[in-house]
Amino acid sequence: MLPFVPDSPTASLFFSLSILYLLFAPQGKSPFVRWAQMIINALAVVCSIKYGVWATAIIIAGALQGEPLNWQSYMLMASHLAMAVEVTLYARFMKLGTISFLLATAWLLLNDTMDYTFGIYPWLPSTLQDNVDAVKLFTYLLSLTSLVIGYISWKAARKQA
């Protein structure tokens, strides 16, 4: 189950690989390399948007139910929101496609299913432990919303180019 556990670190890994693709563009016309790049880029976009928003929303939801906020909470919210903003800014430079976005979203939905079927979902504030079903629904909806936001930001940026 290891591939399904580190959600935000995995999103950061995909984004780092996308940056490497931008800095060191693959040479040649191999369809495998092209598709791998597009899928990694799409994973970077949808995962970074999802987990950037998810972590922030969960921390805020916990605080609204009485979980105390501390400096780590604010640091986590700032860094996770930065993930989401950063990837939407870089999406314009990435090689992406509709199919790669759909595959990346399928991965997110599989990851959500693994998280909430086997109880390996990310940390939740103690005040949200009795709201796991609501968090689960929010998580699935956020996966689909990440597809929409990522796709729109990519398409909008391409129209301007």
Side-chain angles (χ1 to χ4, degrees):
M1 296 214 199
L2 188 58
F4 300 104
V5 174
D7 296 326
S8 289
T10 303
S12 296
L13 170 67
F14 291 138
F15 183 71
S16 297
L17 292 173
S18 293
I19 295 299
L20 287 174
Y21 273 123
L22 288 173
L23 293 173
F24 307 103
Q27 303 301 313
K29 302 286 184 194
S30 167
F32 174 78
V33 172
R34 188 173 143 262
W35 273 102
Q37 180 180 8
M38 290 174 72
I39 291 169
I40 288 170
N41 288 343
L43 283 164
V45 171
V46 297
C47 290
S48 294
I49 291 170
K50 176 188 175 181
Y51 294 115
V53 173
W54 187 92
T56 303
I58 292 302
I59 292 168
I60 291 170
L64 290 173
Q65 290 194 20
E67 186 78 18
L69 293 177
N70 54 35
W71 69 268
Q72 291 100 331
S73 303
Y74 294 106
M75 183 273 305
L76 285 168
M77 288 189 290
S79 63
H80 280 82
L81 278 179
M83 282 173 49
V85 171
E86 178 179 58
V87 80
T88 56
L89 294 174
Y90 274 88
R92 69 176 9 177
F93 305 112
M94 296 179 183
K95 290 184 184 194
L96 293 159
T98 303
I99 293 173
S100 63
F101 270 113
L102 293 174
L103 290 172
T105 304
W107 165 260
L108 279 181
L109 294 171
L110 172 62
N111 190 36
D112 296 343
T113 301
M114 296 297 288
D115 282 354
Y116 293 96
T117 299
F118 296 104
I120 57 173
Y121 50 84
W123 173 87
L124 293 176
S126 59
T127 56
L128 292 182
Q129 291 301 324
D130 59 345
N131 299 107
V132 173
D133 287 338
V135 171
K136 176 182 176 180
L137 177 62
F138 171 70
T139 302
Y140 275 102
L141 292 174
L142 188 55
S143 290
L144 297 172
T145 303
S146 297
L147 163 67
V148 173
I149 293 169
Y151 191 79
I152 288 171
S153 67
W154 171 64
K155 281 294 197 181
R158 293 193 45 96
K159 284 182 182 177
Q160 291 177 356

